Amino acid sequence: MPKYIAIAAMTLDGKIARHKNHMSNWTSKEDKVFMHALLDKCDAIIVGNNTYKTAIKPLSKRNCIVLTKSIPHNVVSRFIGCYQKSDSLLFCNPNKANIKRLIRTLNYKTIAILGGAQTYSYCLKNNLLDELYLTIEPLVFGQGINLFAENQSLNKKFKLLPVKKLNPQGSLLLHYKKI
Amino acid sequence: MPKYIAIAAMTLDGKIARHKNHMSNWTSKEDKVFMHALLDKCDAIIVGNNTYKTAIKPLSKRNCIVLTKSIPHNVVSRFIGCYQKSDSLLFCNPNKANIKRLIRTLNYKTIAILGGAQTYSYCLKNNLLDELYLTIEPLVFGQGINLFAENQSLNKKFKLLPVKKLNPQGSLLLHYKKI
């Protein structure tokens, strides 16, 4: 079975960004080092279109599935609801494509989910989130984008695996498994 | 100088409750034990009116300052903007009362801030939050009340002090100091 691993960084008040175009350049360098090392171990990345646009260049080196509702209607693809831009880049409409089947067909074993909020929510609701690496940065934004899109009440339980303090100011890496 | 200590429990997606009347009965028993032990060491509690109403009985044993904008206009009190209901219970309008001066007058040295979101925000913005004990329960609510009320963008920095795992499922107690 493929393993789906969400990777997120948030402030201590639960914000993953100040607004939807806010780059992830506010996180600690230790978190970035951890994230890149983990991505190197993954076969592919699932990412939302807004998040993809903020990181096109670094993501171009990896196998990417970009979730977006704006796939051209006239696209002919070997995957339903998807538009294959290159060998490593697929745009998929999550309302039309069967992401689980797609992942199995592509033979990806470990998949990183990089957000944003709508993508984390979609994956959590559709059993595409087995583990979560959550870095909590010692900051407060007050306003911003929450970890999960707030369009549905959920009741999901996790178990905490080891915790790692990443630096002296206290960026904290939590590892959760969905139960 | 009095020390202001915020105490909060939230889900891993940053929610302190599902809605404004949601009781705090969803948190782990280990978190409650910790909170009560800490409250025993504090001289008084600052709490918002909604949170106060969900816990009138347990709070009746402690010195309480309840923040509310609905103080009767004709109240005569020895504290401006406040209505003293009993020796241990003060209702204060945060827009009129000088909370810092009030705390000094009452000679309280250690003050616990118990929420909810508006009260945490008010205290953070007004330099009435020196430390934060934040318990992260291994749950996701998806929708709900965020730790801080989302009426203002903030940029506050904290330093993480020791971390404690409270139970096997992984309720995690984080201790932050404002810097």
Side-chain angles (χ1 to χ4, degrees), chain B residues 101-161:
Chain B
R101 191 158 56 194
L102 175 72
I103 297 286
R104 283 197 303 270
T105 304
L106 291 166
N107 205 26
Y108 294 147
K109 301 299 181 202
T110 310
I111 301 95
I113 298 148
L114 281 192
Q118 287 185 43
T119 299
Y120 293 132
S121 284
Y122 172 82
C123 290
L124 183 57
K125 284 177 210 161
N126 291 279
N127 284 321
L128 300 168
L129 196 159
D130 301 309
E131 295 183 25
L132 166 63
Y133 283 95
L134 183 63
T135 300
I136 301 188
E137 299 288 357
L139 302 168
V140 167
F141 283 173
Q143 281 179 334
I145 311 286
N146 294 299
L147 179 60
F148 294 104
E150 305 226 21
N151 49 12
Q152 202 178 328
S153 182
L154 301 169
N155 190 15
K156 302 286 186 183
K157 292 181 183 172
F158 287 77
K159 182 179 168 63
L160 182 66
L161 302 173

Side-chain angles (χ1 to χ4, degrees), chain A residues 23-24 47 49-61 64 114:
Chain A
M23 309 276 284
S24 63
V47 69
N49 203 15
N50 281 330
T51 306
Y52 174 71
K53 284 182 199 159
T54 68
I56 291 176
K57 200 175 162 193
L59 291 175
S60 67
K61 297 177 293 185
C64 254
L114 280 194

Side-chain angles (χ1 to χ4, degrees), chain A residues 115-132:
Chain A
Q118 288 186 42
T119 299
Y120 292 132
S121 285
Y122 172 83
C123 291
L124 183 59
K125 285 177 207 161
N126 291 281
N127 285 320
L128 300 169
L129 197 159
D130 301 311
E131 294 182 24
L132 166 63

Side-chain angles (χ1 to χ4, degrees), chain A residues 15 18 138 141 150 154 158, chain B residues 15 18 138 141 150 154 158:
Chain A
K15 308 302 175 198
R18 287 192 183 275
F141 283 173
E150 306 226 19
L154 301 168
F158 287 76
Chain B
K15 308 302 176 197
R18 287 191 182 276
F141 283 173
E150 305 226 21
L154 301 169
F158 287 77

Side-chain angles (χ1 to χ4, degrees), chain A residues 136-179:
Chain A
I136 300 188
E137 299 287 358
L139 302 169
V140 167
F141 283 173
Q143 279 178 336
I145 311 285
N146 294 298
L147 179 60
F148 294 103
E150 306 226 19
N151 48 12
Q152 202 178 329
S153 182
L154 301 168
N155 190 15
K156 303 286 186 185
K157 291 180 183 173
F158 287 76
K159 182 179 168 62
L160 182 66
L161 301 172
V163 170
K164 189 176 174 189
K165 193 176 162 186
L166 295 178
N167 53 33
Q169 65 267 34
S171 302
L172 195 70
L173 175 60
L174 310 182
H175 184 190
Y176 288 103
K177 189 174 180 178
K178 193 156 151 278
I179 55 176

Side-chain angles (χ1 to χ4, degrees), chain B residues 23-73:
Chain B
M23 308 276 284
S24 63
N25 54 7
W26 59 274
T27 58
S28 60
K29 67 175 190 295
E30 293 83 1
D31 175 62
K32 288 186 186 67
V33 169
F34 157 76
M35 182 185 72
H36 290 130
L38 183 52
L39 290 182
D40 286 345
K41 294 179 194 164
C42 292
D43 299 317
I45 287 167
I46 295 177
V47 69
N49 204 15
N50 281 329
T51 307
Y52 173 72
K53 285 180 196 160
T54 67
I56 291 176
K57 201 175 162 192
L59 290 176
S60 68
K61 296 178 294 187
R62 305 183 187 272
N63 294 321
C64 254
I65 296 168
V66 182
L67 301 188
T68 173
K69 287 175 189 156
S70 55
I71 304 280
H73 286 298

